[in-house]
Amino acid sequence: DNVLHETAKRAGVVIAEARAYASRGTYTTAGFRIQKLSPAVAPEGDAVDCYRMDDAEIALVAMSTTASTVRTVVDAARARGEKVGALRVRLFRPFPEQQLRQALRHCRRIGILDRDISLGLGGILWSEVRGTAPAGSLVQGYILGLGGGDIRPRDIERILADLAARQQAEDPRILEVAS
């Protein structure tokens, strides 16, 4: 009753149970276990949310809840006449390189805020986003909120002031926040 395809005829081992899944997307592991693949579902919305980036010369890039706090600071900076915008990276893999390049294309200063650290490297967001920055822009990484410390608007204001005053970028800065 089993009809073997040409590829199966050449195989050293044929697992009969795999036949039922062949058209639904499976693969067999090195341990001969059948693994079913399901199609990926695209997330709703864009991989990168832009906030007040139309004429921004300074951008703050963050993920998750930090991005909400950053928006509050961007609004305050805009009220003072500063051309500041924010990017929230919603999807890290696959990395949204083209979207970030497009959003950052006019920025002269970019601050990247991470809540994680890879010792010797910096934050994961900084390590990826800095490659999407326009040539000649100043890109500085900031690591804050490690261990669950609250990130408050005053912490982001300190980052914005540091970024605006910088003459050159350095290794990512680790900042303490009040817990």
Side-chain angles (χ1 to χ4, degrees):
D1 180 66
N2 285 339
V3 178
L4 298 178
H5 295 281
E6 191 61 35
T7 303
K9 289 178 186 175
R10 295 180 185 171
V13 175
V14 176
I15 302 172
E17 295 87 330
R19 199 169 139 251
Y21 293 107
S23 64
R24 288 185 246 155
T26 64
Y27 70 96
T28 305
T29 67
F32 298 105
R33 293 190 60 195
I34 299 167
Q35 300 291 314
K36 186 173 184 233
L37 300 176
S38 299
V41 177
E44 291 183 23
D46 292 328
V48 177
D49 287 337
C50 297
Y51 185 72
R52 303 188 82 170
M53 286 294 295
D54 291 339
D55 65 342
E57 295 175 358
I58 298 174
L60 297 174
V61 183
M63 293 173 55
S64 195
T65 58
T66 305
S68 299
T69 308
V70 167
R71 285 181 179 206
T72 301
V73 173
V74 166
D75 288 340
R78 286 287 181 155
R80 295 188 301 263
E82 299 173 37
K83 292 184 176 182
V84 180
L87 295 177
R88 176 181 174 222
V89 178
R90 294 183 59 243
L91 180 67
F92 194 71
R93 293 284 184 249
F95 189 70
E97 179 180 352
Q98 292 306 317
Q99 290 168 302
L100 286 164
R101 283 187 193 282
Q102 178 68 19
L104 295 170
R105 71 188 181 281
H106 298 300
C107 295
R108 295 180 298 125
R109 295 176 180 272
I110 302 164
I112 303 170
L113 288 63
D114 275 295
R115 285 192 88 146
D116 56 77
I117 189 168
S118 175
L119 296 176
L121 177 64
I124 61 167
L125 191 59
W126 176 78
S127 67
E128 296 282 345
V129 173
R130 65 185 175 157
T132 66
S137 60
L138 187 147
V139 182
Q140 180 62 48
Y142 300 91
I143 298 169
L144 66 166
L146 294 178
D150 290 338
I151 299 172
R152 296 190 168 89
R154 69 175 176 257
D155 302 315
I156 308 299
E157 287 282 3
R158 282 185 8 218
I159 288 171
L160 186 56
D162 178 78
L163 184 62
R166 280 190 169 276
Q167 298 302 312
Q168 65 182 24
E170 297 173 357
D171 287 339
R173 295 193 58 215
I174 299 174
L175 305 173
E176 290 186 35
V177 295
S179 53

